[in-house]
Amino acid sequence: MVLRSGMLWLARNEQAEDLVRRSGVSRALVKRFVAGEDLSTALDRTLGINAQGMDASLDLLGESVEDEAAARAAADTYVDVLDQIQAAGVRSNISIKLTMLGLDISEEMAWGNLRRIVVHAGERGNFVRIDMEGSAYTERTLALFRRIHDEFPEAVGIVLQSYLYRTDSDVEEMIARRARVRIVKGAYNEPETVAYPHKSDVDAAFRRHIKLLIRSGNYPAIATQDEAMLRGAKLYADGIGVGQERFEFQMLYGVRRDLQEAIAAEGYNMRVYVPFGTMWYPYFMRRLAERPANMFFILKNLVRR
Ligand code: FDA
């Protein structure tokens, strides 16, 4: 737990970023979790994923954008990503972060960029998933989500994090408004005032939310690499007669590929989250924080330097 917090703290530290970026040892690991620094490489990887019977969600890496031009450029890139998905005949939607679209600058800026992307996706019959970031953004993210979902209910969905105490009621709200939810455990460093400090409580909440969403949600996405959770979700859906077509599983690019393929081969809908771009550092560090073996490897090499 202490190591996880340390790693998540480093995910926001510029000096550590510089070290990790320059270190040859992290390169191979970065390649494992990131589908490429440019869109065409990521599209190639996505075609490979599609060929194995799985869908994708392309995520342009980047967050906490602090100037207006960069936020607008991120929205432009996403519009291009949607066009290229269509042109290449790739089966993929997109995942976006509102801080990349300017949420730290102003809500109206993030709204304008978000709306432009969702309109474009809607016109192409595609779909935009709004990722959930740290708890400082939860309320603002949900407020913008409600606003865009009222206007384009079919073209946009949200992510909820089971580690937050508030999520029981957020799940109920999203079920009531027929919104498509991706449920995750939660990846950020959160204080005890807002999130369960113990993993067993996070797991219990995650199980609760998975059941609620499978039972009553609108095509929910169960996003996890936790084999026990994946098995539990399948058993639960089966037990209450919810067919495979009524929900999907989502897993991260480069994590447990064997399991992804096995679940898809059983006939379940599997979507792989495919991050790409040059701004991979915070995403990469959050992935390391989830896996002690990788974390020790990188820390040992950084300390050596
Ligand atoms: P947990 O971390 O409890 O791990 C259970 C087991 O899974 C581990 O023991 C290990 O075997 C395996 N495992 C987990 N992580 C691994 C890794 N990196 N490498 C190898 N094995 C690993 N979070 C968020 O806050 N906002 C968001 O928008 C999203 N979006 C998102 C999309 C998708 C498709 C996924 C899969 C996840 C997210 N997350 C996220 C991340 C999520 O909140 C969570 O941090 C990770 O999924 C890790 O939690 P698990 O449920 O996988 O289990």
Side-chain angles (χ1 to χ4, degrees):
M1 215 55 184
V2 175
L3 263 173
R4 178 177 177 271
S5 310
M7 225 49 197
L8 291 176
W9 178 81
L10 284 177
R12 303 173 63 85
N13 182 292
E14 280 177 23
Q15 275 163 319
E17 171 164 2
D18 202 41
L19 268 177
V20 170
R21 277 188 177 278
R22 280 189 287 132
S23 140
V25 275
S26 28
R27 279 277 153 198
L29 267 181
V30 171
K31 265 202 175 150
R32 198 183 121 190
F33 293 119
V34 177
E37 292 207 336
D38 58 85
L39 177 59
S40 72
T41 312
L43 284 172
D44 271 356
R45 303 268 186 281
T46 307
L47 278 171
I49 289 166
N50 288 167
Q52 285 167 318
M54 302 183 282
D55 292 340
S57 188
L58 278 158
D59 165 52
L60 171 65
L61 290 165
E63 47 205 90
S64 312
V65 162
E66 276 164 13
D67 77 273
E68 198 174 330
R72 208 175 315 112
D76 290 343
T77 305
Y78 266 119
V79 163
D80 183 44
V81 171
L82 287 163
D83 288 340
Q84 304 252 6
I85 285 174
Q86 195 174 32
V90 164
R91 292 199 318 276
S92 180
N93 61 32
I94 57 170
S95 290
I96 61 171
K97 287 189 173 50
L98 292 183
T99 62
M100 196 186 197
L101 301 183
L103 190 57
D104 282 323
I105 308 165
S106 82
E107 260 175 55
E108 281 315 296
M109 177 176 305
W111 167 254
N113 285 325
L114 170 67
R115 193 175 182 285
R116 188 150 64 88
I117 296 168
V118 173
V119 166
H120 205 75
E123 285 168 357
R124 276 149 194 75
N126 211 326
F127 179 81
V128 179
R129 177 77 62 181
I130 303 179
D131 284 345
M132 190 57 81
E133 302 178 68
S135 60
Y137 300 104
T138 312
E139 196 47 56
R140 281 178 286 166
T141 302
L142 288 175
L144 287 185
F145 173 71
R146 290 182 193 105
R147 200 169 151 193
I148 196 88
H149 183 255
D150 283 345
E151 214 181 330
F152 305 99
E154 303 302 323
V156 65
I158 190 71
V159 177
L160 296 176
Q161 299 154 320
S162 291
Y163 64 11
L164 296 182
Y165 304 134
R166 59 173 293 158
T167 298
D168 285 313
S169 80
D170 290 337
V171 168
E172 295 285 0
E173 180 200 338
M174 294 305 155
I175 286 175
R177 65 158 52 235
R178 302 290 302 146
R180 276 171 62 177
V181 173
R182 174 202 293 154
I183 191 77
V184 299
K185 288 188 190 176
Y188 296 81
N189 221 354
E190 299 294 358
E192 284 189 38
T193 46
V194 301
Y196 296 107
H198 300 296
K199 185 164 165 38
S200 55
D201 293 323
V202 177
D203 284 352
F206 193 50
R207 273 191 213 100
R208 200 161 66 233
H209 300 145
I210 288 174
K211 286 183 178 170
L212 254 175
L213 286 163
I214 287 183
R215 194 164 66 234
S216 319
N218 178 13
Y219 193 68
I222 318 297
T224 179
Q225 349 285 342
D226 188 332
E227 223 171 327
M229 294 293 170
L230 292 161
R231 204 177 317 116
K234 287 192 274 185
L235 280 174
Y236 182 72
D238 214 30
I240 61 166
V242 167
Q244 291 182 334
E245 72 291 348
R246 290 195 23 214
F247 61 97
E248 71 181 23
F249 290 114
Q250 295 189 358
M251 293 178 73
L252 301 176
Y253 179 83
V255 181
R256 295 298 312 269
R257 212 168 297 171
D258 55 335
L259 198 53
Q260 297 175 7
E261 287 167 20
I263 292 174
E266 286 171 46
Y268 289 96
N269 296 320
M270 171 62 73
R271 187 180 299 278
V272 180
Y273 185 95
V274 181
F276 73 97
T278 54
M279 312 284 280
W280 43 259
Y281 177 75
Y283 175 87
F284 174 65
M285 294 299 273
R286 286 197 294 276
R287 299 295 76 81
L288 292 189
E290 287 153 11
R291 188 118 203 285
N294 290 342
M295 189 155 73
F296 281 123
F297 184 66
I298 288 284
L299 281 179
K300 202 171 72 194
N301 281 284
L302 285 182
V303 169
R304 258 199 213 133
R305 286 174 71 94

